[in-house]
Amino acid sequence: MVLISLTRDYIGRMLQDISGMKVLVLDSHTVSIVSVVYSQSMLLQKEVYLVELVDSMSKESMMHLKAVYFLRPTLENIQHLRRQLTNPRFGEYHLFFSNILKTNQIQVLADSDEQEVVQQVQEFYADFVAIDPYHFTLNMNMNHIYMFPAVIDPPSSQNFCDRIVDAIAAVFLALKRRPVVRYQRTSDIAKKVAQETAKLMYEQESGLFDFRRTEISPLLLVIDRRDDPVTPLLNQWTYQAMVHELIGIQDNKVDLRNIGKVPKDQQEVVLSSEQDLFFKANMYENFGDLGMNIKRMVDEFQQVAKSNQNIQTIEDMAKFVDNYPEYRKMQGNVSKHVAMVTEMSRIVEEQKLMSVSQIEQELACNGGQGAAFEAVTSLLNNEGVSDVDCLRLVMLYALRYEKESPVQLMQLFNKLASRSAKYKSGLVQFLLKQAGVDKRTGDLYGNRDLLNIARNMARGLKGVENVYTQHQPLLFQTMENITKGRLRDVDYPFIGNHFQQGRPQDVVIFIIGGTTYEEARTVALHNASNSGTRFILGGSFVLNSKRFLKDLEEAQKMSRSNSAV
C-alpha cells in the first residue's frame, strides 16, 4: 500500500480540512498523480464539484467556490498562479505544491496576492505517479534523452535530470527517510542523477531530510535502462504486463475504443489493484491460469444473475434493488476483463506471438547460437510474423551474440532490410552502440558468475514450468545481490563517504529510461515474500516494446542530426 496510501493520504488531507464546495485545480503532471489514487466518486465525497487544469481555466467568476490548487512548483505554474491571483475568480485559494518551493517562488505568490484570497501555501510531497503500491513512474515525454551525452542537448539533459531528482526527493520526503546513494558505474546519467540527489539531500535541503536515523540507512540505487535492454523487448505473458504490451496502459487506464463491440461506458476502463479485486488477484498470473480464473468469474456472475432472475415477491425485488449497485459493478468487471482477454487472444493468434515468444525466451535465457540463428531466420521468412516482431527478434539475437557471430548478424540485418521497406536501417546497430556488452555493468545473461551458470544449467535440466515466462529481468539478480550484501562497490559505487554494513530495510531502485511491468511484478513478489527488505521501483516511464523502440528511434534520429552538424 505504501506509495498509493502516501499519495492518497496527502490528497485527503488537502481536501478534508476545507469545508464546502470546492474546485480542484491541477496541472498536466498532478492530474496523473491524483487520477491513479482518487476516483471521481472519491473526489465527490470530498465536495469537489469541478476539476480544472491550471493552463486552460475559464474566466467565469465563481466566488462561492473554494479553489484547491495542487501543482508542481515549476516556473510556468507560478506564472499561471501570479496571473490568476491578480484577478481572483474564487472566494478562497488554498495552494498545495507537490515538491519543495523556492524562497523566491513564495515571494512571487505573496506579492501577487493583493486581495488576500490565499488562505494557505503548503508542500505535500507527492511528485510521482503511484501506479501500484511499490511502483511509481514520471510519465516523461522526452524519455529518449537518457541515451545521449549531456553535450548533445545540455538544456534538455539538465531538465531531464532535474525532474528525476525532484521525484526521488519527493519519494524519500514522503517516506520520511534519507538514503545512502549508489549508482551504476557505467552510466554517466545515473552518476549525475545520483550526485545531484545526494547534494540536495545532504547539503542544499539537509534540514528537510533530517529524519530520525535508522540503524542501517535506506538505499537509493540509480541505474540505467541500457543495462538490461532485453526485458523491454520481450513479449509478456502475465496479465498486467501483457495488457500493456498488447493494448497499452496509461495511468492505470486502458483505452478499449478500437476493440470490437465494447459498450460505451467501457471504452476506457480502470485497471487498478486498488479498485478491482479480480485484477489484484490475477495481475501477476500467466495467461493460461488467467483464462481459467476468468471462466470461474463468469460462472459466478451467471449464478448471481440467475438468482436475480428468480424475483417472485416484493421482498425479492427490494433485495435485488439493494444489491443492484454491486450487481452492476460485478457485471461491469466481468465484461471488462472478458473484453481485454478476448482481444489479447485475438492478437496472440493473429500475430503468431506464441511462436515468436518461444524464440524470444530462448534468446533471453538459453545459449546455443547455431540453433538460435536457424530459429530467427525461419521466423524472418514467415510472412505471418509482423515486421516489428522480426526487428525485436534480431535485436535480441544481436544483444546475445554480438561478439560471437558478426557474419550471421550481417545476414540477419540484410534479411530484415529486404523484408520491409519500413525497416529502420542501423537501429539494431544503434542499440548495440547504446546497450551492447561493452556498455553494460550487470551480468545480463548469467555468464560471469559460477552460481548463475549452475542455476541456468539446473533450470535447463529440470525443464521450465512455462516456456513463455522463463525470463527473469536483470533487476531480480540486482535485488538478490542487495539483500545478500553482494552488490559490488566497484560496479555500483556510493556517493560521498557513505557505505553500508548490513542489509537495508528500505530500498528504492530508480531506472533512468523506464521500468517494465515485468520488473514491477518481480518487486511485488519479492515484497510479498517478507524477506525483511522492502523494495520500491521507480522510473522515468513505463515501457512496453513499442515505447522502447520509439525511444531508440528518437535517439537515433537525434544523434544523426547531431553528427550531421
Side-chain angles (χ1 to χ4, degrees):
M1 284 302 292
V2 64
L3 291 176
I4 290 177
S5 52
L6 284 170
T7 311
R8 188 178 288 152
D9 184 47
Y10 275 145
I11 294 159
R13 277 162 52 197
M14 255 178 245
L15 298 172
Q16 69 200 23
D17 295 341
I18 302 159
S19 60
M21 288 169 67
K22 294 180 275 288
V23 57
L24 180 60
V25 183
L26 304 168
D27 63 34
S28 58
H29 292 277
T30 56
V31 77
S32 294
I33 294 167
V34 173
S35 73
V36 293
V37 298
Y38 248 72
S39 65
Q40 208 70 45
S41 56
M42 288 162 81
L43 285 174
L44 273 171
Q45 283 167 7
K46 301 281 187 199
E47 298 183 282
V48 173
Y49 293 100
L50 187 63
V51 178
E52 289 194 355
L53 283 173
V54 69
D55 56 355
S56 56
M57 291 173 72
S58 75
K59 301 280 186 283
E60 188 189 343
S61 174
M62 298 181 183
M63 296 311 265
H64 60 295
L65 288 180
K66 296 171 181 175
V68 178
Y69 279 70
F70 179 46
L71 308 172
R72 292 200 66 237
T74 61
L75 181 65
E76 200 182 3
N77 283 338
I78 298 293
Q79 291 308 320
H80 284 310
L81 264 173
R82 192 173 60 79
R83 285 193 292 274
Q84 288 166 25
L85 288 172
T86 359
N87 190 10
R89 291 171 53 214
F90 305 108
E92 289 181 8
Y93 283 69
H94 299 262
L95 309 182
F96 298 93
F97 291 91
S98 64
N99 218 315
I100 304 165
L101 269 173
K102 297 185 176 71
T103 315
N104 63 337
Q105 292 176 321
I106 299 170
Q107 193 56 56
V108 168
L109 294 175
D111 292 346
S112 314
D113 185 27
E114 288 175 6
Q115 304 193 32
E116 297 184 358
V117 285
V118 176
Q119 305 297 307
Q120 57 177 323
V121 179
Q122 286 201 53
E123 297 168 345
F124 274 177
Y125 307 111
D127 204 6
F128 48 87
V129 182
I131 39 185
D132 283 318
Y134 303 104
H135 184 200
F136 70 93
T137 184
L138 307 185
N139 290 342
M140 292 178 76
N141 294 329
M142 300 278 285
N143 194 45
H144 61 280
I145 290 287
Y146 77 98
M147 295 189 205
F148 294 111
V151 291
I152 286 189
D153 188 351
S156 297
S157 176
Q158 190 57 53
N159 293 342
F160 188 80
C161 286
D162 290 346
R163 175 69 191 102
I164 293 172
V165 172
D166 287 350
I168 293 173
V171 167
F172 281 99
L173 286 168
L175 292 168
K176 298 187 167 46
R177 295 276 187 275
R178 174 161 53 187
V180 298
V181 183
R182 299 178 73 172
Y183 65 94
Q184 177 190 320
R185 177 183 53 81
T186 50
S187 167
D188 290 342
I189 192 159
K191 181 179 184 178
K192 183 174 165 65
V193 165
Q195 285 174 332
E196 291 183 8
T197 304
K199 190 175 177 188
L200 179 77
M201 292 176 174
Y202 286 91
E203 294 172 33
Q204 295 158 339
E205 297 288 352
S206 60
L208 259 185
F209 284 89
D210 193 11
F211 300 112
R212 188 172 56 81
R213 304 283 160 86
T214 48
E215 196 180 330
I216 297 168
S217 294
L219 169 65
L220 164 65
L221 176 64
V222 183
I223 57 180
D224 188 313
R225 176 73 270 162
R226 289 169 291 184
D227 214 33
D228 175 7
V230 168
T231 299
L233 283 171
L234 294 174
N235 265 299
Q236 297 300 323
W237 294 94
T238 57
Y239 194 19
Q240 184 186 35
M242 198 174 178
V243 173
H244 190 42
E245 180 58 37
L246 300 183
I247 305 173
I249 305 175
Q250 177 66 41
D251 294 340
N252 291 352
K253 293 183 191 71
V254 182
D255 184 347
L256 298 177
R257 274 177 305 200
N258 303 324
I259 291 173
K261 295 188 177 93
V262 177
K264 246 203 163 62
D265 62 343
Q266 293 232 311
Q267 293 193 341
E268 184 181 75
V269 295
V270 174
L271 208 54
S272 156
S273 57
E274 293 291 295
Q275 297 174 33
D276 178 338
L277 290 175
F278 179 83
F279 180 62
K280 185 177 187 172
N282 289 278
M283 59 199 283
Y284 304 132
E285 293 294 332
N286 70 52
F287 200 49
D289 295 339
L290 176 68
M292 301 301 293
N293 296 345
I294 283 207
K295 187 185 179 312
R296 201 173 298 128
M297 177 172 70
V298 170
D299 291 345
E300 280 169 19
F301 175 68
Q302 282 171 339
Q303 288 299 314
V304 173
K306 231 181 244 140
S307 68
N308 284 335
Q309 282 164 9
N310 301 333
I311 294 175
Q312 310 284 329
T313 65
I314 299 290
E315 282 81 15
D316 290 343
M317 181 75 88
K319 202 149 131 201
F320 173 64
V321 171
D322 277 350
N323 294 331
Y324 188 67
E326 276 310 304
Y327 174 76
R328 279 293 299 272
K329 192 174 170 187
M330 192 177 176
Q331 183 183 23
N333 222 21
V334 170
S335 58
K336 164 174 92 177
H337 291 292
V338 168
M340 280 191 294
V341 169
T342 308
E343 174 65 6
M344 293 196 299
S345 303
R346 183 190 69 74
I347 296 171
V348 166
E349 184 73 26
E350 201 174 87
Q351 298 182 6
K352 303 193 168 10
L353 292 186
M354 291 184 107
S355 315
V356 171
S357 186
Q358 202 165 340
I359 307 304
E360 288 176 3
Q361 292 283 329
E362 287 294 312
L363 287 167
C365 305
N366 305 314
Q369 182 254 319
F373 177 72
E374 294 300 319
V376 173
T377 306
S378 135
L379 282 177
L380 290 185
N381 287 328
N382 184 335
E383 287 300 310
V385 177
S386 76
D387 290 344
V388 74
D389 286 337
C390 289
L391 175 62
R392 287 190 302 106
L393 284 164
V394 174
M395 285 180 161
L396 289 164
Y397 180 90
L399 287 164
R400 179 104 210 203
Y401 300 113
E402 63 177 300
K403 296 288 194 214
E404 288 172 47
S405 61
V407 175
Q408 278 98 331
L409 207 46
M410 279 315 296
Q411 288 175 324
L412 292 178
F413 292 161
N414 295 337
K415 192 104 194 132
L416 262 185
S418 65
R419 215 196 113 99
S420 158
K422 282 194 304 213
Y423 168 59
K424 311 273 190 305
S425 74
L427 197 60
V428 187
Q429 292 91 320
F430 184 72
L431 171 66
L432 291 178
K433 194 174 144 197
Q434 286 290 331
V437 66
D438 299 337
K439 291 285 197 320
R440 299 193 297 261
T441 301
D443 188 4
L444 189 55
Y445 295 107
N447 300 335
R448 299 180 216 158
D449 180 340
L450 275 174
L451 184 70
N452 277 323
I453 293 168
R455 198 180 286 147
N456 287 341
M457 281 169 67
R459 196 159 60 172
L461 292 172
K462 278 193 308 216
V464 177
E465 289 165 48
N466 186 336
V467 68
Y468 299 106
T469 52
Q470 297 174 65
H471 176 256
Q472 290 273 28
L474 182 64
L475 184 74
F476 176 80
Q477 198 184 309
T478 308
M479 287 162 59
E480 253 193 357
N481 288 341
I482 289 170
T483 52
K484 293 179 176 159
R486 289 205 308 246
L487 195 68
R488 288 158 39 122
D489 295 9
V490 61
D491 291 332
Y492 299 95
F494 287 88
I495 294 279
N497 52 3
H498 296 285
F499 65 96
Q500 245 170 349
Q501 280 179 318
R503 186 171 71 173
Q505 288 179 317
D506 283 296
V507 180
V508 173
I509 298 179
F510 191 91
I511 306 181
I512 299 173
T515 56
T516 64
Y517 282 118
E518 188 189 347
E519 288 158 332
R521 174 178 181 266
T522 303
V523 166
L525 295 180
H526 169 91
N527 288 343
S529 72
N530 296 322
S531 74
T533 301
R534 176 179 70 172
F535 285 89
I536 289 173
L537 176 67
S540 46
F541 206 85
V542 185
L543 300 168
N544 53 16
S545 64
K546 286 184 203 69
R547 179 62 197 220
F548 183 63
L549 291 171
K550 181 173 178 266
D551 286 345
L552 264 180
E553 279 176 35
E554 293 287 325
Q556 185 192 25
K557 235 183 276 172
M558 201 164 156
S559 72
R560 276 181 177 161
S561 64
N562 200 62
S563 56
V565 172

